[in-house]
């Protein structure tokens, strides 16, 4: 794995898309795939999930409502996984984690637990593992659709999602997928991380 692949992604030319356009564009790319793997790499420990009901409940300090919303999503998650399976797709989500976990990461981890219990493939990777790759900047937030396209997800200063940069260079797309796959091999099942680092922690609060 090249130590510079993620720097190349950041520097690569691409088409900058606003958030609605990015989601529509990536949906079309997923529909075009004939099997294969979709990769999601999550690195930041803080995001601002504006418009998400469970996030709004978290910000309001209503943890029971957060968990009620997360639990209510099981059926939809299962349907999404079944649709992916019928298309021959595997969605693999790699979550880089720092210690101690931020309130955001704790909140997200309870959602991820439910996703995993429904059959979603998620693994956790200690941030120390990727430190050698972050001499210039932390890893970018990425979505990679087979060998067709990758998106570097973009955020504003408050870590609110604002869209993505689409990169179509076939070689760079392929090499990025290989790099994430290499990190995946160094990671651990998300539920192992969850039960060790998250489950027994007090209910998180945003300060």
């Amino acid at each position: 794995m090249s130590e510079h692949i993620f720097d190349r992604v950041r520097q690569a030319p691409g088409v900058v898309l606003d958030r609605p356009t990015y989601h529509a564009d990536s949906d079309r790319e997923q529909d075009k795939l004939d099997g294969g793997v979709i990769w999601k790499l999550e690195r930041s420990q803080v995001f601002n999930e504006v418009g998400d009901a469970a996030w709004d409940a978290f910000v309001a300090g209503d943890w029971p409502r957060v968990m009620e919303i997360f639990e209510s999503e099981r059926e939809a998650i299962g349907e999404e996984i079944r649709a992916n399976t019928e298309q021959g797709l595997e969605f693999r989500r790699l979550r880089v984690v720092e210690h101690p976990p931020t309130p955001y990461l704790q909140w997200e981890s309870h959602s991820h637990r439910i996703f995993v219990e429904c059959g979603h493939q998620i693994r956790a990777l200690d941030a120390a593992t990727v430190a050698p790759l972050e001499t210039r900047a932390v890893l970018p937030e990425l979505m990679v659709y087979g060998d067709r396209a990758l998106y570097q997800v973009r955020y504003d200063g408050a870590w609110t999602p604002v869209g993505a940069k689409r990169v179509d260079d076939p070689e760079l797309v392929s090499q990025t997928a290989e790099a994430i796959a290499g990190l995946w091999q160094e990671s651990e099942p998300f539920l192992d991380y969850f039960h060790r680092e998250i489950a027994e922690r007090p209910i998180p609060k945003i300060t």
Side-chain angles (χ1 to χ4, degrees), residues 130-142:
V130 301
L133 304 176
E134 298 186 323
T135 56
R136 298 182 183 179
V138 297
L139 300 186
E141 311 293 321
L142 297 176

Side-chain angles (χ1 to χ4, degrees), residues 139-154:
L139 300 186
E141 311 293 321
L142 297 176
M143 293 289 302
V144 185
Y145 288 79
D147 57 1
R148 294 186 55 87
L150 71 83
Y151 301 86
Q152 180 182 350
V153 188
R154 300 171 58 248

Side-chain angles (χ1 to χ4, degrees), residues 93-108:
R93 189 171 191 158
L94 182 60
R95 207 336 157 183
V96 177
V97 296
E98 295 181 6
H99 304 281
T102 61
Y104 175 88
L105 185 58
Q106 293 182 68
W107 170 84
E108 181 192 64

Side-chain angles (χ1 to χ4, degrees), residues 1-173:
M1 178 178 66
S2 171
E3 292 188 358
H4 305 290
I5 186 67
F6 297 108
D7 290 330
R8 288 174 55 200
V9 169
R10 281 189 289 266
Q11 297 163 7
V15 179
V16 176
L17 309 172
D18 63 23
R19 193 179 183 192
T21 305
Y22 156 54
H23 286 302
D25 195 72
S26 60
D27 286 346
R28 286 192 295 270
E29 286 304 322
Q30 180 167 336
D31 289 341
K32 294 175 185 176
L33 290 175
D34 183 17
V37 177
I38 298 172
W39 290 103
K40 182 170 188 176
L41 175 63
E42 298 176 302
R43 175 60 181 92
S44 180
Q45 307 299 290
V46 177
F47 291 106
N48 184 20
E49 303 283 1
V50 174
D52 182 280
W55 178 253
D56 292 342
F58 183 40
V59 172
D62 190 348
W63 189 253
R65 177 59 179 158
V66 170
M67 293 309 302
E68 178 184 3
I69 294 170
F70 285 162
E71 289 289 346
S72 73
E73 295 172 341
R74 288 183 183 272
E75 182 176 351
I77 294 168
E79 290 176 356
E80 179 182 357
I81 292 171
R82 285 191 290 273
N84 287 343
T85 300
E86 290 176 1
Q87 195 177 341
L89 294 176
E90 293 183 55
F91 191 104
R92 296 183 181 180
R93 189 171 191 158
L94 182 60
R95 207 336 157 183
V96 177
V97 296
E98 295 181 6
H99 304 281
T102 61
Y104 175 88
L105 185 58
Q106 293 182 68
W107 170 84
E108 181 192 64
S109 292
H110 284 272
S111 173
H112 281 5
R113 171 184 63 81
I114 290 172
F115 270 80
V116 172
E117 289 174 352
C118 292
H120 203 76
Q121 297 190 63
I122 307 177
R123 294 180 71 90
L125 181 66
D126 194 301
T129 305
V130 301
L133 304 176
E134 298 186 323
T135 56
R136 298 182 183 179
V138 297
L139 300 186
E141 311 293 321
L142 297 176
M143 293 289 302
V144 185
Y145 288 79
D147 57 1
R148 294 186 55 87
L150 71 83
Y151 301 86
Q152 180 182 350
V153 188
R154 300 171 58 248
Y155 299 85
D156 65 15
W159 281 99
T160 303
V162 296
K165 177 183 75 172
R166 173 176 172 144
V167 177
D168 290 293
D169 180 337
E171 182 179 5
L172 186 56
V173 173

